Amino acid sequence: MTATPADERSTYDVIVLGAGPVGQNVADRAHAAGLSVAVVERELVGGECSYWACVPSKALLRPVLAVADARRVDGAKQAVTGPIDTGGVFARRDRYVADWDDSGQARRVRSTGVDLFRGHGRLDGPRRVSVTRQDGTREILGARHAVAIATGSLQALPDIPGIAEARPWTNRHGTDSSTVPARLAIVGGGGVAVEMSTLWQGLGSQVTLLARRRLLPRMEPFVGDLVTRGLTETGVDVRDGVQVTGLRRPDAGGTVTLTLDDGSEIEADEILCATGRTPATGDIGLDTVGLTPGAWLDVDTTCLVEGVDGDWLYALGDVNHRALLTHQGKYQGRTAGDAIGARAAGEPLDDSAWGDHATTADQHAVPQVFFTDPEAGSVGLTAEQATDAGHRCTTIDLDMTAAQGANLYADGYRGHARIVVDLDREVLLGATFVGQGVSELLHSATVAVVGEVPLKRLRHAVACFPTISEIWLFLLAAYQQRKDN
């Protein structure tokens, strides 16, 4: 569809704000339902995940972790004789982000029959979107059935005196930089903080990690302990229970000084803040439909925004604050796209607990992996969360070396596994694994949690010998032994 003057309107069934993976998924599903779809993107088609988050961070981390794995295997470790080639690592990253050229992804969007508009999209009242192009011209789009907001989130910088002067790295600098700072201070204790600590220490920085609480505080407590131990062994100076109270960087190209709450100071060449996210909703016209600019958007199970009349406005991915993970946003996009199609066709919605139009996995079965050394992965509820939710439950804990495959994976393998069992229904409520290679265990755990597979049946899912997956057999056997006793 060609652009039209600002006083004319292009009308579509569905308009999507944001062409990241979440926006692309809702657009694909709505178009598959026979609806005409327009997608508006103000930056790069492919979004944060493709260019500054998931893809580049994992492209950078893989060489670091591959070398670390090799150094744990007799015979292989002798072949690791030099430092990591940082130029090769950065070139690998550049390939995976296509040198920040989104033309390929833009072609892919258009090839599906979806119209792509480049510019800043803002709501302009109910079912209307204004698109302001880079040259300042503007176009008004109308939506017959739905507008879906998939604009993501932005780095939230902490309110620390001197932070503007310090010019900190955000998550974007952490993945698009091609210079290794001699000393890097990282503030935060979540997923971005631990992954960036693993990465930059592996590339040659002396990393100091400063966290107010234990690392990865939303996971089982043992996760933070093992990740802290792993980071410390690689040379990261991990300090938890501390807070940065001030920053100074008087010279533009000079070092930054961090003051801590105990009065001590740290000097670094760069500082990276990984202290949470804020919704990218500040300038998308929320006020024109009665919502608060810059706010997270509350949604129902179909991702329909609450507090807006007419059942036409959806919010997907980070903006609804349910689970700030790309895979969960894509899941929401698929589900909401189907819901939009059903509503447009006048079909009944199945928004029951695990229905086709319900995003209930966001509350019950969110999988997450952090590519640290060791890896940490979990799905579902922690023991504390399960208890707080009123479940009568128990936990089964095992050292990962109970599985022979773990011992073969790395000499001196260290790791831990936990499952949370609902005692009344005898199904899994959650599972957590820490150790090398455990990320590939996670989908089997997710299937068990989502499918609510009875443990007496799950034991018939035989794990291959000798794989790390055998840990499942030992976890289930330990539960049965406890039950019998």
Side-chain angles (χ1 to χ4, degrees), residues 391 422-429 452 454-455:
H391 296 284
D422 184 318
L423 291 170
D424 296 316
R425 297 182 297 146
E426 291 200 305
V427 298
L428 288 186
L429 295 171
E452 299 180 334
L455 266 61

Side-chain angles (χ1 to χ4, degrees), residues 16 21-30 148-152 296-305 314-341 343 355-367:
V16 181
V22 180
Q24 290 187 37
N25 269 262
V26 68
D28 285 349
R29 293 304 267 261
I149 299 173
T151 50
W296 302 105
L297 298 174
D298 295 327
V299 297
D300 68 9
T301 58
T302 68
C303 291
L304 192 68
V305 176
Y314 293 76
L316 319 161
D318 286 10
V319 291
N320 64 33
H321 207 226
R322 285 194 164 189
L324 278 67
L325 298 162
T326 297
H327 46 273
Q328 291 302 120
K330 292 166 70 174
Y331 156 74
Q332 292 172 11
R334 294 189 297 269
T335 305
D338 291 345
I340 291 168
R343 281 193 170 106
D356 291 339
H357 305 122
T359 56
T360 47
D362 290 337
Q363 288 78 44
H364 304 294
V366 175

Side-chain angles (χ1 to χ4, degrees), residues 3-10 128 133 137-141:
T4 58
D7 59 350
E8 297 183 16
R9 178 190 296 190
S10 301
R128 283 168 53 99
R133 302 182 189 86
T137 60
R138 192 167 68 96
E139 181 164 5
I140 301 296
L141 308 179

Side-chain angles (χ1 to χ4, degrees), residues 38-108:
V39 176
V40 184
E41 175 57 54
R42 66 181 181 86
E43 287 193 299
L44 297 180
V45 177
E48 191 83 8
C49 177
S50 297
Y51 302 103
W52 296 285
C54 317
V55 172
S57 66
K58 304 316 170 283
L60 291 163
L61 277 161
R62 182 60 195 142
V64 172
L65 297 176
V67 169
D69 282 347
R71 285 176 171 151
R72 294 189 183 93
V73 180
D74 286 338
K77 66 183 180 183
Q78 288 77 11
V80 183
T81 57
I84 286 178
D85 177 6
T86 56
V89 174
F90 294 138
R92 182 176 197 264
R93 182 243 358 246
D94 293 350
R95 289 197 305 273
Y96 276 94
V97 300
D99 291 313
W100 293 274
D101 178 358
D102 70 350
S103 56
Q105 292 215 44
R107 283 194 299 272
R108 183 259 168 204

Side-chain angles (χ1 to χ4, degrees), residues 108-142:
R108 183 259 168 204
V109 170
R110 294 188 179 104
S111 73
T112 64
V114 171
D115 284 351
L116 174 63
F117 289 80
R118 290 188 178 274
H120 193 136
R122 298 176 180 85
L123 294 171
D124 189 33
R127 293 185 171 85
R128 283 168 53 99
V129 170
S130 168
V131 181
T132 304
R133 302 182 189 86
Q134 220 171 25
D135 63 7
T137 60
R138 192 167 68 96
E139 181 164 5
I140 301 296
L141 308 179

